[in-house]
Amino acid sequence: MVEIELDGKKVEVHEGSMIMHAAERAGTYIPHFCYHKKLSIAANCRMCLVDVEKAPKALPACATPVTQGMIVHTHSSKAVQAQQSVMEFLLINHPLDCPICDQGGECQLQDLAVGYGKNSSRYQEEKRVILHKDVGPLISMEEMSRCIQCTRCVRFGQEVAGVMELGMINRGEHSEITTVKGDTVDSELSGNMIDICPVGALTSKPFRYSARTWELSRRKSVAPHDASGANLVVQVKNHRVMRVLPLENEAVNECWIADRDRFSYEALNGADRLTSPMIKQDGQWHEASWQQALEYVAHGLRHIAADHGKDSVGALLSPHSTLEELYLATELLRGIGSDNIDYRLRHAEFGKADGVRWLGTSIAALSTLGQVLVVGSNLRKDHPLFAQRIRQAATHGARVYALNERAYDWAMPLAQTWALPSAQWAQALAALAAAIAAEKGVSAPVDAAGLDTGAYSAVAKQLLAEGEGKAILLGNAAAHHGKAASLLALANWIGAQTGASVGYLTEAANTVGAQWVGATPRAGGLNAAQMLAGGLKAAILLHTEPEFDSAAGAAAAEGLAKAEMVVTLSPFKTNLAFSDVLLPTSPFTETSGTFVNAEGRVQSFHAVVKPLGETRPAWKVLRVLGNLMGLAHFDFEDTQQVLARFAGTAKPDFVPQDVLSNATADVAIDLRAPEAEPVVAAIYQLDGLVRRAPALQATADGRAGLQAGVAAVPAKVVVQEQVEEGASA
């Protein structure tokens, strides 16, 4: 440790730290623009100039290493005069358009100009003008004349997103930030550039000119998409979500969020929202009151259960639903007497798990891994924030190995990539296991005859090398694989031999929570594939669109059309072809609830806006259905009571460790090829919210998902038509 004196206070910091780090440790604010705690040091802006004793001139705090006994003054006349001079230069070319700037009210330049700027400028020359750029549907670069060349956006692309999409060209007053070739910014984390821009040069294109920051209420929430459980700040005006920003949580999402968490809010007020209950009669949809709709559903469920047996009723649940909604749905079905409950719509194998499948380690630990093997995941697109963590590890020397159907661009260095058809993944892991067994002189978990172990021997030696921080991570394609249990069993054997943790990069916001509440069939119940194939007479669909969310695809509509009654609980007008009742339920912004992320972290949140129209939280709808069906213990007043009933406490922090398990003790490893390829959603086709967010669908990833022929294509077409009709009206 090195001790320095900062404004008269003794501060100890690690050797190699900068004065800025010492100031942060001491709680002293030094004005700055280009410095960001998550980015490398550039020392571009010079706003952080401080007075260091015995130095002939002021030095930048962000780029000056501390030395033993150093004496620093941050508020001396020398330091303040230097900072004022820098501010004067920064404002020479800055346009005076604060009244119409979206950054107004939360602008670093605006704030520091008050403290370090002057009332007038000595410069009378014309200000420079930088032409605007079109970099896609998410980021607006219309006012690049505001840019102060801090290069935060450039460094973010290089160091965090892994792709240098923006750069600075030219010199002096001709310097400008650009994509150089006129390309679009297509990173799945690109929206974070808006947050870290200290001026109004990069702003949100969907949010542009829609509200002033001081008009917005700020409320905490949790991301409803992938399994990272990113913490959010949802900004609201007049009971309408206007913008979504990251809430810093170092253990979960640091200070970043993925673009689908940031921009999916557009779907919340789209033309596709369902705002009142609807019942189909004689092939026509009619609006109904809640009492009529719920009594219709309850009567239909009782009638079908009496005529066809209780096991003719089933529920297909989305893992993007809250823990409380999933728990009440399972209790409703089991209260009726049916065990046909499943959230695994995209799965191809439905064996009973020994415990709740999870990440196998903490999210924060992904940043410090030394070696990681990822199986069956387009990591960068399936799990952007997990990919960002592993990219950090790779930057610091971690060896990353990938087994996929093709070589994906993960924007990080890969030590080894095996591009094999999914039917060969089990054989590939078996060959890796055999190579490890040969190195250790132990028995392989399966017969290695006919397997090419030579292609895996180098990685086997690396995995067996001494060192901390090893992980084997199974992605969405591995979880949905026809031999998912065999893949996990092989991964567990490799992990046991090499000292690596084994876990799943779970698909949805509440995949772990769905397992925890038991939203899978017990002995005798139908699984999702059987229900979608036409095994039900009455079906309840909770926040899911089986045509787009299941492995069955379009065939799901045919299977569900065989049922006598299909009840859809959704925020959107969907499943119209085969549903008989539509019940408008709240998206995550209009209800309280709980999500459990991949590491088992339990995160509860509150509604941030009022429900739209006659929309009601799904947990309330399920509770009333339970009351109408005469079920006991459906007397909940709020989601905290539901959580307490299930978990034993209204505020659990994590899923109990004795519940979390990726063990596969009794699985017989099967190396035969599965019947079908695993079904994985594209990044902006994962759920109903992202599918209906126009800006996300207009991105390169959104267009690529549609062109690839994913199951959600019809949904996107419908949404576009409705939005266009609404706009013309």
Side-chain angles (χ1 to χ4, degrees):
M1 299 291 284
V2 175
E3 184 180 82
I4 71 169
E5 183 180 308
L6 184 74
D7 291 338
K9 295 189 295 185
K10 300 292 185 182
V11 183
E12 281 193 350
V13 291
H14 291 287
E15 188 175 356
S17 298
M18 303 296 163
I19 294 174
M20 185 70 79
H21 301 142
E24 288 178 342
R25 189 176 182 89
T28 300
Y29 178 73
I30 298 175
H32 60 274
F33 292 112
C34 68
Y35 172 78
H36 190 281
K37 64 182 179 180
K38 294 292 183 181
L39 303 176
S40 63
I41 292 169
N44 286 342
C45 71
R46 319 305 283 185
M47 190 65 211
C48 64
L49 293 175
V50 293
D51 180 9
V52 179
E53 286 198 6
K54 298 183 180 178
K57 58 182 180 180
L59 300 177
C62 69
T64 304
V66 296
T67 58
Q68 183 65 36
M70 175 185 277
I71 300 175
V72 181
H73 304 284
T74 65
H75 300 301
S76 67
S77 58
K78 181 178 179 180
V80 172
Q81 184 177 359
Q83 292 162 356
Q84 289 176 339
S85 297
V86 170
M87 176 59 69
E88 186 175 17
F89 274 105
L90 288 175
L91 294 177
I92 289 174
N93 285 306
H94 196 81
L96 301 177
D97 60 352
C98 293
I100 60 114
C101 178
D102 267 345
Q103 194 86 346
E106 55 186 12
C107 174
Q108 274 184 266
L109 183 64
Q110 198 175 51
D111 293 341
L112 293 179
V114 173
Y116 300 92
K118 297 181 179 180
N119 292 330
S120 60
S121 174
R122 291 183 290 169
Y123 293 87
Q124 303 300 319
E125 292 80 10
E126 290 184 0
K127 293 180 181 288
R128 70 170 187 168
V129 175
I130 303 297
L131 296 178
H132 70 272
K133 287 97 177 166
D134 184 2
V135 293
L138 304 181
I139 300 176
S140 173
M141 296 180 72
E142 292 290 321
E143 288 88 13
M144 288 306 293
S145 296
R146 300 170 182 163
C147 179
I148 60 171
Q149 287 82 46
C150 71
T151 69
R152 279 186 179 184
C153 55
V154 178
R155 284 175 285 144
F156 173 85
Q158 287 179 292
E159 299 163 17
V160 180
V163 183
M164 186 177 175
E165 295 180 293
L166 293 176
M168 188 163 69
I169 61 172
N170 302 326
R171 301 186 68 182
E173 68 172 335
H174 301 293
S175 298
E176 62 177 294
I177 301 294
T178 176
T179 58
V180 182
K181 296 192 298 182
D183 300 327
T184 55
V185 174
D186 298 321
S187 168
E188 61 285 349
L189 298 171
S190 66
N192 294 291
M193 294 180 183
I194 300 167
D195 294 337
I196 62 176
C197 181
V199 295
L202 303 182
T203 55
S204 170
K205 191 169 282 188
F207 174 72
R208 184 174 167 82
Y209 293 152
S210 60
R212 304 313 308 248
T213 57
W214 53 85
E215 299 175 315
L216 303 175
S217 300
R218 292 159 175 80
R219 294 158 190 175
K220 298 178 182 179
S221 192
V222 179
H225 304 300
D226 64 30
S228 61
N231 291 194
L232 308 178
V233 173
V234 181
Q235 298 188 331
V236 176
K237 177 183 176 182
N238 296 330
H239 301 291
R240 183 185 178 99
V241 175
M242 305 300 293
R243 188 165 61 165
V244 175
L245 301 174
L247 175 64
E248 184 170 352
N249 186 332
E250 199 65 26
V252 180
N253 57 299
E254 300 177 272
C255 55
W256 318 119
I257 56 174
D259 286 351
R260 62 184 169 196
D261 297 328
R262 184 184 300 272
F263 296 108
S264 63
Y265 74 88
E266 285 189 292
L268 299 172
N269 298 296
D272 211 22
R273 279 297 300 270
L274 178 65
T275 57
S276 63
M278 301 185 74
I279 298 175
K280 185 189 289 183
Q281 295 176 335
D282 299 325
Q284 299 295 317
W285 286 100
H286 302 278
E287 291 189 358
S289 67
W290 270 107
Q291 183 176 356
Q292 290 173 323
L294 291 173
E295 288 180 352
Y296 180 91
V297 172
H299 174 77
L301 292 176
R302 283 194 296 265
H303 178 75
I304 291 171
D307 288 353
H308 302 284
K310 296 177 180 178
D311 58 359
S312 65
V313 180
L316 293 162
L317 316 177
S318 168
H320 297 279
S321 305
T322 67
L323 195 72
E324 293 81 359
E325 293 164 356
L326 292 165
Y327 173 69
L328 288 175
T330 58
E331 289 297 292
L332 175 66
L333 264 289
R334 289 185 176 129
I336 293 172
S338 171
D339 199 44
N340 303 328
I341 306 159
D342 212 343
Y343 77 93
R344 301 167 297 177
L345 277 74
R346 291 192 176 103
H347 287 228
E349 189 179 69
F350 298 94
K352 187 179 185 302
D354 299 326
V356 173
R357 305 307 195 201
W358 67 301
L359 187 61
T361 186
S362 68
I363 292 175
L366 297 179
S367 303
T368 59
L369 289 173
Q371 296 188 74
V372 56
L373 167 61
V374 180
V375 180
S377 174
N378 183 0
L379 183 65
R380 180 181 163 193
K381 302 301 182 182
D382 292 348
H383 303 93
L385 293 179
F386 290 166
Q388 185 272 135
R389 292 272 191 181
I390 295 174
R391 189 176 296 117
Q392 289 182 41
T395 301
H396 292 98
R399 298 179 66 85
V400 183
Y401 318 109
L403 172 59
N404 277 307
E405 70 275 11
R406 62 187 179 89
Y408 292 109
D409 177 12
W410 288 355
M412 68 179 81
L414 298 182
Q416 178 68 55
T417 299
W418 298 290
L420 299 171
S422 59
Q424 298 177 22
W425 290 353
Q427 292 94 321
L429 284 183
L432 177 58
I436 291 171
E439 288 289 329
K440 293 191 70 174
V442 299
S443 299
V446 290
D447 183 5
L451 298 177
D452 180 15
T453 59
Y456 304 90
S457 58
V459 172
K461 291 177 183 178
Q462 289 290 340
L463 287 172
L464 287 169
E466 293 295 326
E468 297 296 323
K470 301 175 187 176
I472 301 172
L473 302 174
L474 304 176
N476 296 346
H480 304 164
H481 199 274
K483 302 295 179 184
S486 295
L487 293 178
L488 179 57
L490 288 163
N492 278 330
W493 190 92
I494 296 170
Q497 297 299 319
T498 61
S501 66
V502 178
Y504 279 100
L505 298 161
T506 53
E507 178 183 39
N510 218 5
T511 300
V512 173
Q515 298 173 78
W516 191 22
V517 302
T520 52
R522 297 169 182 166
L526 299 179
N527 60 46
Q530 292 167 329
M531 286 188 269
L532 290 170
L536 300 175
K537 292 297 182 182
I540 297 175
L541 309 180
L542 176 61
H543 293 162
T544 185
E545 302 169 277
E547 288 181 276
F548 318 128
D549 294 333
S550 75
E558 299 175 12
L560 290 168
K562 298 176 183 177
E564 293 183 13
M565 183 174 73
V566 177
V567 182
T568 292
L569 286 75
S570 173
F572 305 107
K573 300 171 184 174
T574 187
N575 300 338
L576 301 177
F578 49 81
S579 292
D580 299 283
V581 183
L582 298 180
L583 301 179
T585 53
S586 301
F588 79 107
T589 52
E590 298 171 17
T591 183
S592 58
T594 303
F595 289 140
V596 184
N597 70 4
E599 66 178 351
R601 185 183 296 267
V602 180
Q603 301 185 106
S604 295
F605 55 90
H606 297 287
V608 299
V609 292
K610 293 179 179 179
L612 186 65
E614 292 297 310
T615 300
R616 296 291 180 268
W619 73 268
K620 288 188 176 182
V621 176
L622 293 165
R623 182 202 64 191
V624 175
L625 276 176
N627 296 151
L628 293 174
M629 296 297 291
L631 304 182
H633 309 302
F634 268 70
D635 52 353
F636 305 103
E637 295 296 328
D638 54 43
T639 52
Q640 288 184 320
Q641 290 183 5
V642 181
L643 185 59
R645 172 74 60 81
F646 163 67
T649 172
K651 293 185 178 180
D653 294 323
F654 285 88
V655 177
Q657 280 294 319
D658 59 345
V659 174
L660 298 171
S661 174
N662 294 314
T664 50
D666 302 324
V667 171
I669 297 173
D670 185 357
L671 301 185
R672 293 176 298 175
E675 295 180 1
E677 294 182 0
V679 174
V680 179
I683 181 172
Y684 298 139
Q685 302 294 340
L686 182 63
D687 58 66
L689 278 176
V690 294
R691 282 194 290 268
R692 292 172 171 82
L696 291 178
Q697 296 304 320
T699 62
D701 282 327
R703 297 193 305 272
L706 296 176
Q707 291 169 358
V710 295
V713 173
K716 181 65 186 78
V717 172
V718 170
V719 174
Q720 283 182 326
E721 290 173 354
Q722 290 173 336
V723 170
E724 289 168 3
E725 289 172 5
S728 63

